[in-house]
């Protein structure tokens, strides 16, 4: 197996450091130190810290269980619930301290970086679309109690999840996510 | 009328700078420059940048229209809706670029600062309690379509609002907040 490249090492290091401490809380030297590479190596691989944040979000997106939402072997409501349970398990792994990287970057960087803001918008938009498709299937199967338009409901669930992940960071516990599931269950049949 | 004190000038300056650029995006010198005071004056009034952030949140909390939630001259659902509409108008004033300061600080600083995290938790907790009381009145008046426990529903609405305010920053528009109101209306009778 080939060894991961220095670029990959840097992305992995930045993924962890950004997720825990935010963008402005971490310097390029923190990232290169964590990766065990010289500080000067950073600009051989990335144009800017922002460009690296975009790469880190791509990596993060791959671990969001998006494929679960399209898995038609599972009934749609169960599938959506399973997807959120998967995300919750990921938050639990770090004692709820890290939150969702998309939401963290959206909150911290939307005024500072149009590049990061666009990437967060695009990631959250794709997520809401995948959710809306699964909600359409749920409605067709008579499994939605809510009568709200599925595109609206999907975007709302993304907001509610992002807010719950933020509050879970604040209280360092699962309660805000438990609340999310309670309301989600009331919206489905 | 007495002139605002230098301490007040500093809090006002920090309120604006923190709200727009986050905590780590702004240095103490930015704040003292905005306030038109010497940099050295900061530590005459505040023990730390974190202590100042707590003061700024107190100031911010006073402008959140919390009193609207307890105004029994207005029917409870109308009152809750009016409260969120008031918060939305505040976000609109800055082209949705600033988001909610509680959520911004919660997302950015929960790992960095236990002091700020506790203050955010306390502020969001008090908000959810005030919402829950108004939701209790709504339920007693037969004005809730949702059967979810009011304390759970209140905390969930806080999450949903915080996520929507974050997404409004990201898309620089009202759509995520409009979605919030659509779902809110479906939960009330």
């Amino acid at each position: 197996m080939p060894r991961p490249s220095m670029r990959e090492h840097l992305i992995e290091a930045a993924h962890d450091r950004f997720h825990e401490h935010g963008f402005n809380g971490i310097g390029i030297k923190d990232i290169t130190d964590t990766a065990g590479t010289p500080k000067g190596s950073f600009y051989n691989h990335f144009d800017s810290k922002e460009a690296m944040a975009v790469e880190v979000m791509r990596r993060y997106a791959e671990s969001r269980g998006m494929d679960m939402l399209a898995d038609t072997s599972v009934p749609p409501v169960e599938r959506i619930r399973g997807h959120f349970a998967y995300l919750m398990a990921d938050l639990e792994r770090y004692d709820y301290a890290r939150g969702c990287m998309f939401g963290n970057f959206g909150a911290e960087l939307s005024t500072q970086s149009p590049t990061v803001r666009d990437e967060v918008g695009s990631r959250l938009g794709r997520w809401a679309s995948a959710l809306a498709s699964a909600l359409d299937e749920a409605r067709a199967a008579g499994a939605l109690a809510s009568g709200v338009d599925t595109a609206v409901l999907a975007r709302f669930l993304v907001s509610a999840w992002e807010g719950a992940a933020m509050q879970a960071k604040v209280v360092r516990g699962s309660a805000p996510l438990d609340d999310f599931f309670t309301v989600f269950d009331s919206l489905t049949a």
Side-chain angles (χ1 to χ4, degrees), chain A:
Chain A
M1 224 169 85
R3 281 171 49 192
S5 69
M6 188 180 287
R7 188 169 187 280
E8 283 302 300
H9 270 312
L10 287 166
I11 292 174
E12 261 172 48
H15 183 287
D16 250 44
R17 303 295 286 159
F18 282 160
H19 203 177
E20 191 170 350
H21 299 285
F23 184 86
N24 290 317
I26 289 296
I28 287 173
K29 191 166 181 313
D30 292 307
I31 295 168
T32 51
D33 283 354
T34 303
T37 62
K39 185 175 179 189
S41 66
F42 183 90
Y43 290 102
N44 296 335
H45 298 283
F46 303 95
D47 287 341
S48 63
K49 204 175 146 197
E50 285 177 40
M52 170 172 252
V54 169
E55 285 303 313
V56 163
M57 275 190 276
R58 282 190 190 143
R59 163 77 53 103
Y60 181 71
E62 287 165 12
S63 68
R64 295 304 87 205
M66 291 299 168
D67 48 329
M68 297 173 81
L69 290 172
D71 177 5
T72 51
S73 73
V74 180
V77 168
E78 210 176 300
R79 197 194 304 167
I80 299 169
R81 210 182 192 286
H83 166 73
F84 282 115
Y86 168 86
L87 296 180
M88 180 164 169
D90 192 50
L91 294 172
E92 190 184 10
R93 192 175 314 151
Y94 300 103
D95 288 329
Y96 307 101
R98 292 190 171 190
C100 170
M101 197 187 287
F102 298 141
N104 293 348
F105 278 173
E108 185 186 2
L109 299 177
S110 288
T111 36
Q112 184 179 330
S113 168
T115 306
V116 171
R117 187 175 77 229
D118 285 352
E119 186 70 20
V120 171
S122 154
R123 295 287 167 193
L124 295 179
R126 271 184 267 181
W127 184 18
S129 294
L131 266 173
S133 297
L135 288 170
D136 281 335
E137 288 180 60
R139 176 156 292 158
L144 274 195
S146 173
V148 171
D149 178 80
T150 52
V152 172
L153 192 57
R155 292 192 304 257
F156 174 83
L157 288 174
V158 168
S159 283
W161 183 263
E162 289 297 331
M166 181 277 289
Q167 288 212 74
K169 283 176 76 159
V170 170
V171 301
R172 284 292 166 88
S174 68
L177 304 161
D178 298 333
D179 294 338
F180 175 91
F181 283 102
T182 301
V183 176
F184 176 79
D185 289 341
S186 80
L187 298 171
T188 53

